[in-house]
Amino acid sequence: MNDWLNSLIAWLEGTALTQSIRDTSWAVPLIQTIHILSIGIVFSSSLILMLATFGLLGNDWSPARWNLRLHRWSWGGLVVLLVSGTLLVVGEPERSLTNFIFQMKMLMVIIAALLTWVLSQRLQTAHGRSEEAGHATAATRLLALGTLAVWLAIISAGRWIAYYAG
Amino acid sequence: MITEMLERLGQTGLATTISENALIFPWLEVCHVIAITTVLGTIFIVDLRLLGLASTSLRVSRLTRVVLPVTWIAFCFAALTGGLMFLSQPVNYFNNFAFRMKMVMLIAAGMNMAMFHLFTSRSVHLWDEGGTPTPAAARVAGLVSILIWITITGAGRWIGFSLSNF
């Protein structure tokens, strides 16, 4: 694993993209800004869905209807997150790839994406059955809460990468 | 005189605790990022409705009633954590261009919102229903809000790259 990682880092260090990100003073802050904006979209969508499943967003829209409104934004936001995140890694391969918190963060991103997909599928199925569209089951609420918790951990890990060397 | 006041502020017990403890500042940053991503995502939901681009089947007045309380709670949390981060080195933040820019943009965001609530939203009953186009003033308010919050995010990130730590 380490050999493979080290050769990947060595290869990335030599690429033109890594060099241009390093040579452009505004590149990293700009990419990080885009990264935060997309976290804003993904995290808020997760938060709104959680609140909706717990019946905390009024009764105009069912959780399933909120999911219909937000799921494309969640996935779009996730794509922008991955692209901007990849660029940040390419800019500083060694600092990120060998960082334990970064590795944990990537694992959690996979879990969050899976949970987001399962939750979205559950709510879409509920949308088809009108009798269940109005309120979410306990399992759906738990899933929404769990998804939100993983996103919270991901955001925390993201900030801590900068402070943790190793 | 302002510099003296800020210097004294930076010498208070709370300020030195924040600047000297290795864990407090990163955790404040984590909380600040969580708060600001919530503000961004939820305010964009409202702005996109004002622009007539999303959630158009939900009444504007209902959407703002269920979503904006979340935005406000998150905003208070962002202001609190941001204030504590400011306390760690008040003079440096005050003299930082990106920080001043962020504060000016926050005032601009407040003015844009105040204008909308004082004037534009008075006629909301005329364009509240889903499917009714929002007036130009509401669309401008939504677009301006999105642009201002993107700038605030960028300025916030720029502070981290331009603030001298001493």
Side-chain angles (χ1 to χ4, degrees):
Chain A
M1 171 82 177
N2 270 347
D3 283 347
W4 175 81
L5 209 56
N6 286 333
S7 52
L8 176 68
I9 291 166
W11 175 74
L12 281 172
E13 297 274 357
T15 59
L17 189 57
T18 298
Q19 284 312 314
S20 23
I21 292 173
R22 268 183 201 166
D23 295 342
T24 318
S25 64
W26 44 265
V28 173
L30 178 72
I31 301 167
Q32 285 185 347
T33 301
I34 294 167
H35 202 63
I36 293 178
L37 288 167
S38 40
I39 295 171
I41 291 165
V42 173
F43 179 72
S44 297
S45 298
S46 176
L47 177 67
I48 292 286
L49 275 190
M50 188 278 285
L51 293 172
T53 58
F54 279 83
L56 294 169
L57 284 185
N59 45 20
D60 300 86
W61 272 7
S62 67
R65 185 63 190 80
W66 276 108
N67 176 59
L68 208 61
R69 161 70 182 83
L70 296 170
H71 81 279
R72 280 193 193 90
W73 288 85
S74 295
W75 291 115
L78 197 61
V79 170
V80 181
L81 267 185
L82 292 177
V83 172
S84 54
T86 305
L87 285 174
L88 290 170
V89 170
V90 170
E92 286 181 304
E94 181 150 23
R95 184 169 163 263
S96 50
L97 291 173
T98 57
N99 187 301
F100 177 70
I101 295 183
F102 172 82
Q103 294 166 353
M104 286 301 106
K105 183 182 174 185
M106 291 307 102
L107 188 67
M108 291 193 289
V109 168
I110 296 169
I111 297 170
L114 279 171
L115 290 177
T116 303
W117 184 75
V118 175
L119 178 65
S120 182
Q121 288 300 112
R122 274 187 84 99
L123 289 171
Q124 259 171 21
T125 319
H127 194 66
R129 294 189 302 246
S130 55
E131 74 272 17
E132 280 183 35
H135 52 271
T137 60
T140 307
R141 287 176 182 181
L142 195 65
L143 187 61
L145 201 59
T147 311
L148 187 73
V150 179
W151 281 119
L152 279 173
I154 289 170
I155 296 174
S156 310
R159 203 70 282 271
W160 272 100
I161 292 170
Y163 291 93
Y164 181 90
Chain B
M1 197 183 89
I2 291 174
T3 311
E4 272 174 38
M5 271 171 56
L6 291 173
E7 272 172 1
R8 219 170 296 159
L9 198 63
Q11 285 156 6
T12 54
L14 183 61
T16 48
T17 310
I18 296 167
S19 55
E20 284 166 12
N21 187 298
L23 294 176
I24 295 179
F25 197 84
W27 278 116
L28 280 174
E29 283 186 314
V30 166
C31 295
H32 196 64
V33 172
I34 290 165
I36 207 164
T37 48
T38 308
V39 171
L40 287 171
T42 54
I43 219 157
F44 286 170
I45 290 173
V46 174
D47 291 338
L48 287 168
R49 175 65 183 92
L50 292 179
L51 279 163
L53 294 175
S55 325
T56 44
S57 68
L58 188 56
R59 275 186 289 159
V60 176
S61 61
R62 291 301 303 163
L63 182 72
T64 52
R65 199 163 300 161
V66 296
V67 173
L68 286 185
V70 182
T71 317
W72 275 112
I73 292 168
F75 181 81
C76 292
F77 198 51
L80 177 73
T81 50
L84 290 171
M85 281 154 70
F86 175 82
L87 214 54
S88 71
Q89 33 180 333
V91 179
N92 287 340
Y93 275 105
F94 184 73
N95 291 326
N96 180 276
F97 175 74
F99 175 80
R100 290 185 173 189
M101 177 91 170
K102 187 176 174 181
M103 293 304 114
V104 170
M105 293 317 279
L106 276 170
I107 294 167
M111 282 166 60
N112 180 49
M113 199 170 56
M115 296 253 290
F116 176 77
H117 285 292
L118 287 174
F119 305 109
T120 316
S121 78
R122 284 194 167 184
S123 63
V124 72
H125 56 281
L126 299 174
W127 42 273
D128 205 14
E129 288 300 323
T132 316
T134 48
R139 274 177 272 158
V140 169
L143 183 65
V144 167
S145 167
I146 289 177
L147 295 175
I148 287 177
W149 282 103
I150 290 174
T151 318
I152 290 172
T153 311
R157 203 66 288 270
W158 189 254
I159 295 171
F161 285 84
S162 56
L163 193 73
S164 58
N165 285 308
F166 300 100

Short mmCIF file of all heavy atoms in Angstrom, two decimals, chain B residues 101-160:
data_model
loop_
_atom_site.label_atom_id
_atom_site.label_comp_id
_atom_site.label_asym_id
_atom_site.label_seq_id
_atom_site.Cartn_x
_atom_site.Cartn_y
_atom_site.Cartn_z
N MET B 101 -13.04 42.96 3.96
CA MET B 101 -13.88 42.70 2.80
C MET B 101 -15.07 41.81 3.21
O MET B 101 -16.21 42.06 2.82
CB MET B 101 -13.00 41.96 1.79
CG MET B 101 -13.67 41.54 0.56
SD MET B 101 -13.51 42.83 -0.64
CE MET B 101 -14.12 41.89 -2.02
N LYS B 102 -14.77 40.78 4.01
CA LYS B 102 -15.82 39.87 4.46
C LYS B 102 -16.86 40.61 5.30
O LYS B 102 -18.06 40.40 5.12
CB LYS B 102 -15.19 38.72 5.25
CG LYS B 102 -16.18 37.62 5.62
CD LYS B 102 -15.50 36.46 6.33
CE LYS B 102 -16.52 35.44 6.80
NZ LYS B 102 -15.93 34.31 7.51
N MET B 103 -16.40 41.49 6.20
CA MET B 103 -17.33 42.23 7.04
C MET B 103 -18.21 43.16 6.21
O MET B 103 -19.42 43.27 6.43
CB MET B 103 -16.56 43.05 8.10
CG MET B 103 -15.84 42.21 9.14
SD MET B 103 -16.94 41.06 10.02
CE MET B 103 -16.30 39.48 9.46
N VAL B 104 -17.59 43.83 5.20
CA VAL B 104 -18.36 44.71 4.33
C VAL B 104 -19.42 43.92 3.57
O VAL B 104 -20.59 44.33 3.45
CB VAL B 104 -17.41 45.46 3.33
CG1 VAL B 104 -18.21 46.18 2.26
CG2 VAL B 104 -16.52 46.43 4.08
N MET B 105 -19.03 42.71 3.09
CA MET B 105 -19.99 41.89 2.34
C MET B 105 -21.11 41.38 3.24
O MET B 105 -22.25 41.22 2.79
CB MET B 105 -19.28 40.71 1.67
CG MET B 105 -18.30 41.09 0.56
SD MET B 105 -18.89 42.36 -0.56
CE MET B 105 -19.92 41.40 -1.65
N LEU B 106 -20.79 41.12 4.52
CA LEU B 106 -21.83 40.69 5.46
C LEU B 106 -22.86 41.81 5.66
O LEU B 106 -24.06 41.56 5.72
CB LEU B 106 -21.21 40.31 6.81
CG LEU B 106 -20.68 38.89 6.92
CD1 LEU B 106 -19.87 38.71 8.20
CD2 LEU B 106 -21.83 37.88 6.90
N ILE B 107 -22.35 43.06 5.74
CA ILE B 107 -23.27 44.21 5.87
C ILE B 107 -24.12 44.32 4.61
O ILE B 107 -25.33 44.53 4.68
CB ILE B 107 -22.47 45.51 6.13
CG1 ILE B 107 -21.78 45.43 7.50
CG2 ILE B 107 -23.39 46.74 6.06
CD1 ILE B 107 -20.73 46.50 7.75
N ALA B 108 -23.48 44.12 3.45
CA ALA B 108 -24.21 44.17 2.18
C ALA B 108 -25.30 43.10 2.13
O ALA B 108 -26.43 43.36 1.69
CB ALA B 108 -23.25 44.00 1.01
N ALA B 109 -24.97 41.90 2.63
CA ALA B 109 -25.97 40.81 2.66
C ALA B 109 -27.14 41.20 3.54
O ALA B 109 -28.31 40.98 3.20
CB ALA B 109 -25.33 39.52 3.16
N GLY B 110 -26.83 41.82 4.69
CA GLY B 110 -27.88 42.27 5.62
C GLY B 110 -28.76 43.33 4.99
O GLY B 110 -29.99 43.30 5.12
N MET B 111 -28.13 44.27 4.25
CA MET B 111 -28.91 45.34 3.60
C MET B 111 -29.81 44.78 2.51
O MET B 111 -30.97 45.19 2.37
CB MET B 111 -27.96 46.40 3.03
CG MET B 111 -27.41 47.33 4.12
SD MET B 111 -26.01 48.31 3.56
CE MET B 111 -26.73 49.21 2.22
N ASN B 112 -29.27 43.85 1.73
CA ASN B 112 -30.05 43.21 0.66
C ASN B 112 -31.28 42.52 1.25
O ASN B 112 -32.40 42.66 0.74
CB ASN B 112 -29.16 42.21 -0.08
CG ASN B 112 -29.89 41.49 -1.20
OD1 ASN B 112 -30.54 42.13 -2.03
ND2 ASN B 112 -29.80 40.17 -1.22
N MET B 113 -31.07 41.83 2.38
CA MET B 113 -32.16 41.11 3.04
C MET B 113 -33.18 42.09 3.62
O MET B 113 -34.38 41.90 3.51
CB MET B 113 -31.57 40.24 4.14
CG MET B 113 -32.46 39.15 4.60
SD MET B 113 -31.52 38.05 5.66
CE MET B 113 -30.95 39.18 6.89
N ALA B 114 -32.67 43.17 4.26
CA ALA B 114 -33.56 44.17 4.86
C ALA B 114 -34.44 44.82 3.78
O ALA B 114 -35.65 44.98 3.97
CB ALA B 114 -32.75 45.23 5.59
N MET B 115 -33.83 45.16 2.64
CA MET B 115 -34.58 45.75 1.53
C MET B 115 -35.69 44.81 1.08
O MET B 115 -36.82 45.22 0.83
CB MET B 115 -33.65 46.01 0.34
CG MET B 115 -32.57 47.02 0.61
SD MET B 115 -32.90 48.55 -0.23
CE MET B 115 -32.62 48.07 -1.93
N PHE B 116 -35.33 43.52 0.98
CA PHE B 116 -36.31 42.54 0.52
C PHE B 116 -37.48 42.46 1.49
O PHE B 116 -38.65 42.49 1.09
CB PHE B 116 -35.65 41.16 0.35
CG PHE B 116 -36.63 40.08 -0.02
CD1 PHE B 116 -37.11 39.99 -1.32
CD2 PHE B 116 -37.11 39.19 0.93
CE1 PHE B 116 -38.04 39.02 -1.67
CE2 PHE B 116 -38.04 38.22 0.60
CZ PHE B 116 -38.50 38.14 -0.71
N HIS B 117 -37.17 42.37 2.79
CA HIS B 117 -38.25 42.21 3.78
C HIS B 117 -39.08 43.48 3.95
O HIS B 117 -40.29 43.41 4.15
CB HIS B 117 -37.68 41.75 5.12
CG HIS B 117 -37.30 40.31 5.11
ND1 HIS B 117 -38.24 39.30 5.03
CD2 HIS B 117 -36.09 39.69 5.12
CE1 HIS B 117 -37.62 38.13 5.00
NE2 HIS B 117 -36.31 38.34 5.05
N LEU B 118 -38.42 44.65 3.84
CA LEU B 118 -39.14 45.91 4.05
C LEU B 118 -40.00 46.29 2.86
O LEU B 118 -41.07 46.87 3.01
CB LEU B 118 -38.16 47.04 4.36
CG LEU B 118 -37.52 47.01 5.76
CD1 LEU B 118 -36.47 48.11 5.88
CD2 LEU B 118 -38.59 47.19 6.84
N PHE B 119 -39.50 46.02 1.64
CA PHE B 119 -40.23 46.49 0.46
C PHE B 119 -40.80 45.36 -0.40
O PHE B 119 -42.00 45.22 -0.53
CB PHE B 119 -39.32 47.40 -0.40
CG PHE B 119 -38.74 48.54 0.37
CD1 PHE B 119 -37.39 48.57 0.69
CD2 PHE B 119 -39.56 49.59 0.82
CE1 PHE B 119 -36.86 49.62 1.42
CE2 PHE B 119 -39.03 50.64 1.56
CZ PHE B 119 -37.68 50.66 1.86
N THR B 120 -39.91 44.54 -0.94
CA THR B 120 -40.33 43.55 -1.94
C THR B 120 -41.34 42.55 -1.39
O THR B 120 -42.35 42.25 -2.03
CB THR B 120 -39.11 42.81 -2.51
OG1 THR B 120 -38.08 43.76 -2.76
CG2 THR B 120 -39.45 42.06 -3.76
N SER B 121 -41.07 42.02 -0.19
CA SER B 121 -41.93 40.93 0.31
C SER B 121 -43.30 41.42 0.77
O SER B 121 -44.17 40.62 1.10
CB SER B 121 -41.22 40.16 1.42
OG SER B 121 -41.28 40.88 2.62
N ARG B 122 -43.51 42.74 0.79
CA ARG B 122 -44.83 43.25 1.19
C ARG B 122 -45.93 42.80 0.23
O ARG B 122 -47.08 42.63 0.61
CB ARG B 122 -44.81 44.79 1.22
CG ARG B 122 -44.11 45.30 2.45
CD ARG B 122 -44.39 46.76 2.63
NE ARG B 122 -43.96 47.18 3.96
CZ ARG B 122 -44.16 48.39 4.43
NH1 ARG B 122 -44.79 49.29 3.70
NH2 ARG B 122 -43.75 48.70 5.63
N SER B 123 -45.52 42.63 -1.03
CA SER B 123 -46.52 42.23 -2.02
C SER B 123 -46.50 40.72 -2.26
O SER B 123 -47.00 40.24 -3.27
CB SER B 123 -46.25 42.97 -3.34
OG SER B 123 -44.98 42.57 -3.84
N VAL B 124 -45.90 39.98 -1.30
CA VAL B 124 -45.70 38.54 -1.52
C VAL B 124 -47.00 37.79 -1.82
O VAL B 124 -47.01 36.82 -2.59
CB VAL B 124 -44.92 37.89 -0.33
CG1 VAL B 124 -45.79 37.79 0.90
CG2 VAL B 124 -44.38 36.51 -0.71
N HIS B 125 -48.13 38.28 -1.24
CA HIS B 125 -49.41 37.59 -1.48
C HIS B 125 -49.78 37.56 -2.97
O HIS B 125 -50.55 36.72 -3.40
CB HIS B 125 -50.52 38.25 -0.65
CG HIS B 125 -50.67 39.72 -0.92
ND1 HIS B 125 -49.83 40.66 -0.36
CD2 HIS B 125 -51.53 40.40 -1.71
CE1 HIS B 125 -50.19 41.86 -0.79
NE2 HIS B 125 -51.21 41.73 -1.62
N LEU B 126 -49.20 38.49 -3.73
CA LEU B 126 -49.51 38.54 -5.17
C LEU B 126 -48.73 37.51 -5.99
O LEU B 126 -49.14 37.14 -7.08
CB LEU B 126 -49.23 39.94 -5.73
CG LEU B 126 -50.03 41.10 -5.13
CD1 LEU B 126 -49.53 42.43 -5.67
CD2 LEU B 126 -51.52 40.92 -5.44
N TRP B 127 -47.56 37.09 -5.45
CA TRP B 127 -46.71 36.15 -6.22
C TRP B 127 -46.26 34.97 -5.38
O TRP B 127 -45.29 34.30 -5.69
CB TRP B 127 -45.52 36.89 -6.84
CG TRP B 127 -44.85 37.89 -5.94
CD1 TRP B 127 -45.19 39.20 -5.79
CD2 TRP B 127 -43.74 37.67 -5.06
NE1 TRP B 127 -44.36 39.81 -4.86
CE2 TRP B 127 -43.45 38.89 -4.41
CE3 TRP B 127 -42.94 36.57 -4.77
CZ2 TRP B 127 -42.43 39.05 -3.48
CZ3 TRP B 127 -41.91 36.72 -3.84
CH2 TRP B 127 -41.66 37.95 -3.21
N ASP B 128 -47.02 34.71 -4.32
CA ASP B 128 -46.66 33.66 -3.37
C ASP B 128 -46.88 32.26 -3.95
O ASP B 128 -46.08 31.35 -3.75
CB ASP B 128 -47.52 33.84 -2.11
CG ASP B 128 -46.86 33.24 -0.88
OD1 ASP B 128 -45.66 32.94 -0.96
OD2 ASP B 128 -47.54 33.10 0.13
N GLU B 129 -47.99 32.10 -4.66
CA GLU B 129 -48.40 30.76 -5.12
C GLU B 129 -47.38 30.15 -6.07
O GLU B 129 -46.72 30.87 -6.82
CB GLU B 129 -49.75 30.85 -5.84
CG GLU B 129 -50.94 31.10 -4.93
CD GLU B 129 -51.13 30.03 -3.86
OE1 GLU B 129 -50.89 28.84 -4.16
OE2 GLU B 129 -51.53 30.38 -2.73
N GLY B 130 -47.28 28.81 -6.00
CA GLY B 130 -46.42 28.11 -6.94
C GLY B 130 -46.88 28.36 -8.36
O GLY B 130 -48.09 28.42 -8.62
N GLY B 131 -45.96 28.55 -9.27
CA GLY B 131 -46.32 28.77 -10.67
C GLY B 131 -46.45 30.23 -11.03
O GLY B 131 -46.42 30.58 -12.21
N THR B 132 -46.61 31.12 -10.02
CA THR B 132 -46.68 32.55 -10.31
C THR B 132 -45.25 33.09 -10.39
O THR B 132 -44.45 32.85 -9.48
CB THR B 132 -47.42 33.31 -9.19
OG1 THR B 132 -48.58 32.57 -8.84
CG2 THR B 132 -47.79 34.72 -9.60
N PRO B 133 -44.90 33.79 -11.47
CA PRO B 133 -43.52 34.30 -11.56
C PRO B 133 -43.23 35.32 -10.46
O PRO B 133 -44.10 36.11 -10.10
CB PRO B 133 -43.48 34.97 -12.94
CG PRO B 133 -44.75 34.66 -13.61
CD PRO B 133 -45.73 34.16 -12.61
N THR B 134 -42.02 35.28 -9.92
CA THR B 134 -41.63 36.25 -8.89
C THR B 134 -41.28 37.57 -9.57
O THR B 134 -40.80 37.57 -10.71
CB THR B 134 -40.42 35.74 -8.10
OG1 THR B 134 -39.42 35.27 -9.01
CG2 THR B 134 -40.79 34.59 -7.18
N PRO B 135 -41.53 38.71 -8.88
CA PRO B 135 -41.22 40.01 -9.51
C PRO B 135 -39.71 40.22 -9.66
O PRO B 135 -38.92 39.55 -8.99
CB PRO B 135 -41.81 41.03 -8.53
CG PRO B 135 -41.90 40.32 -7.23
CD PRO B 135 -42.09 38.86 -7.54
N ALA B 136 -39.35 41.16 -10.53
CA ALA B 136 -37.94 41.42 -10.82
C ALA B 136 -37.16 41.74 -9.54
O ALA B 136 -36.03 41.26 -9.36
CB ALA B 136 -37.82 42.57 -11.82
N ALA B 137 -37.76 42.52 -8.63
CA ALA B 137 -37.05 42.91 -7.40
C ALA B 137 -36.69 41.68 -6.57
O ALA B 137 -35.62 41.61 -5.97
CB ALA B 137 -37.91 43.86 -6.58
N ALA B 138 -37.59 40.69 -6.53
CA ALA B 138 -37.32 39.46 -5.77
C ALA B 138 -36.21 38.66 -6.43
O ALA B 138 -35.35 38.09 -5.76
CB ALA B 138 -38.59 38.62 -5.67
N ARG B 139 -36.24 38.63 -7.77
CA ARG B 139 -35.21 37.88 -8.49
C ARG B 139 -33.84 38.53 -8.30
O ARG B 139 -32.84 37.84 -8.10
CB ARG B 139 -35.57 37.79 -9.98
CG ARG B 139 -36.49 36.59 -10.26
CD ARG B 139 -36.90 36.54 -11.71
NE ARG B 139 -38.10 37.34 -11.92
CZ ARG B 139 -38.47 37.84 -13.09
NH1 ARG B 139 -37.71 37.67 -14.15
NH2 ARG B 139 -39.58 38.53 -13.19
N VAL B 140 -33.83 39.88 -8.35
CA VAL B 140 -32.56 40.59 -8.13
C VAL B 140 -32.04 40.29 -6.72
O VAL B 140 -30.86 39.99 -6.52
CB VAL B 140 -32.73 42.12 -8.34
CG1 VAL B 140 -31.50 42.88 -7.86
CG2 VAL B 140 -32.99 42.41 -9.82
N ALA B 141 -32.95 40.34 -5.71
CA ALA B 141 -32.54 40.08 -4.33
C ALA B 141 -31.93 38.68 -4.20
O ALA B 141 -30.90 38.49 -3.54
CB ALA B 141 -33.73 40.23 -3.39
N GLY B 142 -32.54 37.69 -4.87
CA GLY B 142 -32.05 36.33 -4.82
C GLY B 142 -30.67 36.19 -5.45
O GLY B 142 -29.76 35.59 -4.88
N LEU B 143 -30.52 36.81 -6.64
CA LEU B 143 -29.24 36.72 -7.35
C LEU B 143 -28.13 37.44 -6.57
O LEU B 143 -27.03 36.90 -6.40
CB LEU B 143 -29.38 37.33 -8.75
CG LEU B 143 -28.14 37.25 -9.63
CD1 LEU B 143 -27.80 35.80 -9.96
CD2 LEU B 143 -28.34 38.04 -10.93
N VAL B 144 -28.46 38.65 -6.07
CA VAL B 144 -27.46 39.42 -5.30
C VAL B 144 -27.04 38.63 -4.06
O VAL B 144 -25.86 38.55 -3.72
CB VAL B 144 -28.04 40.81 -4.91
CG1 VAL B 144 -27.18 41.51 -3.87
CG2 VAL B 144 -28.15 41.69 -6.16
N SER B 145 -28.01 38.00 -3.41
CA SER B 145 -27.70 37.22 -2.21
C SER B 145 -26.74 36.08 -2.53
O SER B 145 -25.74 35.87 -1.82
CB SER B 145 -29.01 36.68 -1.61
OG SER B 145 -28.74 35.69 -0.65
N ILE B 146 -27.00 35.34 -3.61
CA ILE B 146 -26.11 34.23 -3.99
C ILE B 146 -24.69 34.75 -4.23
O ILE B 146 -23.72 34.21 -3.71
CB ILE B 146 -26.65 33.51 -5.26
CG1 ILE B 146 -27.91 32.70 -4.91
CG2 ILE B 146 -25.58 32.57 -5.85
CD1 ILE B 146 -28.56 32.02 -6.09
N LEU B 147 -24.59 35.86 -5.00
CA LEU B 147 -23.26 36.41 -5.33
C LEU B 147 -22.53 36.89 -4.07
O LEU B 147 -21.34 36.63 -3.89
CB LEU B 147 -23.39 37.55 -6.34
CG LEU B 147 -23.92 37.14 -7.73
CD1 LEU B 147 -24.12 38.36 -8.62
CD2 LEU B 147 -22.97 36.15 -8.39
N ILE B 148 -23.27 37.57 -3.18
CA ILE B 148 -22.65 38.08 -1.95
C ILE B 148 -22.14 36.92 -1.09
O ILE B 148 -21.02 36.96 -0.58
CB ILE B 148 -23.66 38.94 -1.14
CG1 ILE B 148 -23.87 40.29 -1.83
CG2 ILE B 148 -23.13 39.17 0.29
CD1 ILE B 148 -24.90 41.18 -1.15
N TRP B 149 -22.93 35.85 -0.94
CA TRP B 149 -22.51 34.75 -0.08
C TRP B 149 -21.32 33.97 -0.67
O TRP B 149 -20.48 33.47 0.06
CB TRP B 149 -23.68 33.82 0.25
CG TRP B 149 -24.51 34.46 1.32
CD1 TRP B 149 -25.72 35.09 1.17
CD2 TRP B 149 -24.18 34.58 2.71
NE1 TRP B 149 -26.14 35.59 2.38
CE2 TRP B 149 -25.22 35.29 3.34
CE3 TRP B 149 -23.09 34.18 3.50
CZ2 TRP B 149 -25.21 35.60 4.70
CZ3 TRP B 149 -23.08 34.48 4.85
CH2 TRP B 149 -24.13 35.17 5.44
N ILE B 150 -21.24 33.94 -2.01
CA ILE B 150 -20.06 33.32 -2.63
C ILE B 150 -18.82 34.16 -2.30
O ILE B 150 -17.77 33.63 -1.92
CB ILE B 150 -20.24 33.19 -4.17
CG1 ILE B 150 -21.31 32.12 -4.47
CG2 ILE B 150 -18.92 32.84 -4.86
CD1 ILE B 150 -21.69 31.99 -5.93
N THR B 151 -18.98 35.50 -2.39
CA THR B 151 -17.86 36.39 -2.07
C THR B 151 -17.44 36.25 -0.60
O THR B 151 -16.25 36.24 -0.28
CB THR B 151 -18.25 37.86 -2.34
OG1 THR B 151 -18.96 37.92 -3.56
CG2 THR B 151 -17.03 38.76 -2.42
N ILE B 152 -18.44 36.15 0.29
CA ILE B 152 -18.15 36.00 1.73
C ILE B 152 -17.34 34.73 1.97
O ILE B 152 -16.36 34.73 2.72
CB ILE B 152 -19.46 36.00 2.56
CG1 ILE B 152 -20.08 37.40 2.54
CG2 ILE B 152 -19.20 35.55 4.00
CD1 ILE B 152 -21.47 37.49 3.17
N THR B 153 -17.75 33.64 1.31
CA THR B 153 -17.02 32.37 1.46
C THR B 153 -15.58 32.51 0.98
O THR B 153 -14.63 32.09 1.66
CB THR B 153 -17.71 31.25 0.65
OG1 THR B 153 -19.11 31.28 0.95
CG2 THR B 153 -17.15 29.88 0.98
N GLY B 154 -15.42 33.13 -0.20
CA GLY B 154 -14.08 33.32 -0.76
C GLY B 154 -13.22 34.20 0.14
O GLY B 154 -12.05 33.88 0.41
N ALA B 155 -13.81 35.30 0.63
CA ALA B 155 -13.06 36.21 1.51
C ALA B 155 -12.66 35.48 2.79
O ALA B 155 -11.53 35.61 3.27
CB ALA B 155 -13.89 37.45 1.83
N GLY B 156 -13.57 34.68 3.32
CA GLY B 156 -13.29 33.92 4.54
C GLY B 156 -12.11 32.98 4.36
O GLY B 156 -11.23 32.90 5.21
N ARG B 157 -12.08 32.31 3.23
CA ARG B 157 -10.98 31.39 2.96
C ARG B 157 -9.67 32.16 2.73
O ARG B 157 -8.60 31.73 3.12
CB ARG B 157 -11.34 30.52 1.74
CG ARG B 157 -10.60 29.19 1.66
CD ARG B 157 -10.96 28.22 2.76
NE ARG B 157 -10.43 28.56 4.08
CZ ARG B 157 -9.26 28.16 4.56
NH1 ARG B 157 -8.48 27.40 3.86
NH2 ARG B 157 -8.87 28.52 5.76
N TRP B 158 -9.81 33.34 2.11
CA TRP B 158 -8.63 34.15 1.81
C TRP B 158 -7.97 34.65 3.11
O TRP B 158 -6.75 34.82 3.16
CB TRP B 158 -9.01 35.31 0.89
CG TRP B 158 -7.82 36.05 0.38
CD1 TRP B 158 -7.40 37.28 0.77
CD2 TRP B 158 -6.87 35.59 -0.58
NE1 TRP B 158 -6.25 37.60 0.12
CE2 TRP B 158 -5.89 36.60 -0.72
CE3 TRP B 158 -6.75 34.41 -1.35
CZ2 TRP B 158 -4.81 36.47 -1.59
CZ3 TRP B 158 -5.68 34.29 -2.21
CH2 TRP B 158 -4.73 35.30 -2.33
N ILE B 159 -8.78 34.88 4.16
CA ILE B 159 -8.22 35.31 5.45
C ILE B 159 -7.16 34.31 5.90
O ILE B 159 -6.06 34.69 6.31
CB ILE B 159 -9.32 35.43 6.54
CG1 ILE B 159 -10.33 36.51 6.20
CG2 ILE B 159 -8.69 35.74 7.92
CD1 ILE B 159 -11.56 36.54 7.10
N GLY B 160 -7.48 33.03 5.80
CA GLY B 160 -6.57 31.99 6.24
C GLY B 160 -5.23 31.99 5.51
O GLY B 160 -4.22 31.53 6.03
#
